Every structure is written in C-alpha cells, then in structure tokens.
Amino acid sequence: MNQPLHTGRVWSPVITPFADDLSVDSQRFVTHCRWLLENDVDLAIFGTNSEANSLTLAEKRQLIDALAEAGIPGERLMPGTGGCAIGDTVELTRHAVDNGCAGVLMLPPFYYKGVSDEGLFRYFSAVIEQVATSSLKVFLYHIPPVSQVPLTLGLVERLLKAYPGTIAGIKDSSGDWDNTLAMIRAFGEEIDIYAGSEHFLLDTLCAGGAGCISATANVNPGPIAALARTWHEEDAESRQAALSGLRREFERFPMIPALKAATAQYSEDAQWRRVRPPLVELDDTQCQALKSALDTRGFAMPGRVGFPIA
C-alpha cells in the first residue's frame, strides 16, 4: 500500500420510507438520515436504492427541505438529480445547490439507448450551463447495468476539460473493478472516484480512490465507515471480507426490498417494509430467511431501535 494514508468517505443512497397511502414519510426519512450521520455515513439521497425514479420532483424537493429544516448540514448531502428531462434535472440541481449540498449525483438521461458521447456531453453541458453557478459540484453516476447508458473515459475527460472545478467525482456502479481502477488511474488525482459497492472499498482506497457509495451502508454503516477510516490497518483485509460476506446475504434478494425488510426488523418498525410499485416487498418467508442469515453473522443495527422519530 504505497498510497497516502488518506481517510475514505462512505455515502449511503438513503432508502425512502412510505406511508400507508404511498406518500413519502418525511419524519422517518429524517430519522434514518440522522442515524446514518451518527454512524459516520453521508447521505446520497435519491440514489438507485432510494427508489429515486419512483419519486416526483416535488417529493424530492420536499425531502431536501425536510432535511434542511431538521438542521442536517448541506455538506453531508449529495442528492441524485439526474433524469431524462434537462429541465427537471436543472430544477432539482438548483434546489440542491441553493440548500448548500456538497454536490449532486447525476445520472445520464437513461430512456434512449445507444446515444453518443456527443449527445451525453450536450446533456451534461446544458445542465451545468443552465444551473450557472460555481457552487455546483457534479458527481457523474456510471451505472450501465441499470441505465444501459455508459459513461466512457473519453466523455469524462471531455467534461473535465470543459468544466474543471464543476465535475467533482464519479460513482462507478459498473460492478467491474477493472473499470473502476481505470477511472482512478485516469482521473483520481483530479476528482473523487467512488466505488458503487463496499465489495470494492479496500481496493478503491488502496488504488487512490475516495471511498464508496453503497446500498448496504443503509443498514451496516458503522463497520463500512470504520474500514474507510482505518483501511491501512493490518486487519483491513479481514474486515473487508466480513463486509463483503454480509453484503452477499442481501444480494440473495431484491436489494431495495431486502434493505427495507432489514430496517423494519432491526428498528422494530414494520412501516419500513413498504416499497413503491412496481417493486414488491419481501414476503414473510423471504424476510425470515434474510433475518436468519443476518443473525448467523451477528448482524445488528446498533442504536436503531428507539432512535427518536424526528
């Protein structure tokens, strides 16, 4: 490990709670965010595992406002603002900037497939030019398994040259370590490169990356954040193996319903099980199978039971 012993950073794509009528539950959302912050994990709200593309623009603005009203500092927030319509992306990005957010995590427009780097450059350029502030920090979101719209190294290089200081980082959720490593080697001295899973946390930090933005940071924040802080210690590899083993238990199920099932179980709050259609909750058999596997690993969410609702 020849890299400087910097401290990594962990972000959670915060799961979104819903009420009986499927409206967003701002109180539970703020409570979960506070618990994550207490466990040294920052808040990448409106990520994939937040069910972000099942939320309206108004709901996202509402939740940003709820966090601000609760006194949660903007520098701990990285809202996902990317969408298919430039105008929607601009509006939500401006709202995030106006609330002092550390940055925004920006998907490419994902409905049309097979689009060119030129088209994607024009999309990101239009958003940046219309938001029109030096306060904007964009973290590009590369998730081709879901979006089917990859962000190439050439596109990232062009954006960096056109908007230095605005393009601040990349989340690589390709699941391909070789791609993450290529991004770190190409851009890691200029911007923050985050792995999209804690499976790659130690490798990312050793290579000079910034940390991870990970679904399971919603439920296992303390140990993931601890590895990011102390990745240079002798037991880092064994702790990385434990994190990966736990994550694999969640990966046996649809990830979002599994995260919510675990949160419901270990916070003793059944409301957390609810997902928005077209997603479906884990059934009782699946919930029990997940809990048994987690209990076998000694899993817990310390302090989550009884954590005060905002």
Side-chain angles (χ1 to χ4, degrees):
M1 298 181 184
N2 297 320
Q3 296 292 329
L5 300 185
H6 59 273
T7 298
R9 194 168 186 180
V10 176
W11 299 79
S12 172
V14 181
I15 52 177
T16 307
F18 299 112
D20 293 345
D21 62 358
L22 295 180
S23 62
V24 294
D25 186 332
S26 297
Q27 287 188 327
R28 281 183 171 84
F29 183 75
V30 171
T31 298
H32 190 60
C33 286
R34 283 178 165 160
W35 180 74
L36 291 172
L37 291 176
E38 287 203 358
N39 282 275
D40 201 25
V41 165
D42 294 301
L43 310 174
I45 59 176
F46 318 145
T48 299
N49 289 280
S50 312
E51 300 172 75
N53 287 296
S54 296
L55 301 175
T56 67
L57 195 60
E59 287 172 329
K60 293 173 185 177
R61 291 172 59 100
Q62 170 191 336
L63 291 175
I64 290 174
D65 292 344
L67 293 176
E69 290 167 7
I72 289 178
E75 61 264 25
R76 305 292 299 273
L77 297 173
M78 187 196 296
T81 64
C84 292
I86 290 171
D88 287 349
T89 302
V90 169
E91 180 179 340
L92 187 57
T93 299
R94 280 179 178 154
H95 196 66
V97 171
D98 289 346
N99 277 273
C101 294
V104 297
L105 185 61
M106 197 172 293
L107 279 168
F110 50 82
Y111 181 78
Y112 297 109
K113 307 303 189 278
V115 295
S116 65
D117 277 7
E118 176 63 25
L120 293 174
F121 178 83
R122 292 184 187 184
Y123 169 87
F124 287 113
S125 179
V127 172
I128 292 167
E129 297 287 351
Q130 290 182 38
V131 175
T133 174
S134 60
S135 299
L136 174 61
K137 304 299 177 187
V138 173
F139 292 77
L140 302 169
Y141 190 2
H142 177 65
I143 183 169
V146 176
S147 71
Q148 299 295 301
V149 180
L151 306 180
T152 66
L153 296 182
L155 172 64
V156 175
E157 182 178 15
R158 186 178 174 189
L159 286 167
L160 273 171
K161 287 181 178 178
Y163 301 104
T166 297
I167 302 300
I170 305 169
K171 178 187 179 184
D172 183 15
S173 290
S174 64
D176 178 357
W177 167 244
D178 288 340
N179 190 75
T180 306
L181 183 59
M183 287 183 165
I184 293 171
R185 287 174 173 171
F187 311 118
E189 293 187 2
E190 299 176 74
I191 59 176
D192 292 334
I193 310 297
Y194 288 99
S197 162
E198 75 270 27
H199 280 314
F200 305 110
L201 177 55
L202 184 57
D203 285 342
T204 296
L205 292 168
C206 288
C212 70
I213 304 174
S214 177
T216 36
N218 272 287
V219 293
N220 195 34
I224 299 174
L227 179 61
R229 286 194 308 270
T230 61
W231 60 271
H232 54 281
E233 295 184 358
E234 290 184 0
D235 65 345
E237 290 187 4
S238 64
R239 287 188 287 141
Q240 175 64 74
L243 294 181
S244 290
L246 183 68
R247 184 182 176 101
R248 281 191 288 270
E249 302 294 359
F250 283 91
E251 290 173 341
R252 293 167 51 212
F253 304 90
M255 180 60 79
I256 297 169
L259 293 172
K260 287 191 157 182
T263 303
Q265 178 67 50
Y266 292 92
S267 68
E268 299 181 0
D269 182 359
Q271 286 284 101
W272 272 103
R273 282 185 63 180
R274 188 172 292 105
V275 294
R276 254 190 190 169
L279 300 184
V280 176
E281 295 85 354
L282 297 191
D283 62 31
D284 291 343
T285 300
Q286 290 173 311
C287 286
Q288 186 54 51
L290 175 60
K291 184 178 186 301
S292 295
L294 296 178
D295 287 347
T296 296
R297 290 184 175 273
F299 174 77
M301 294 175 67
R304 194 62 182 82
V305 173
F307 198 88
I309 295 177

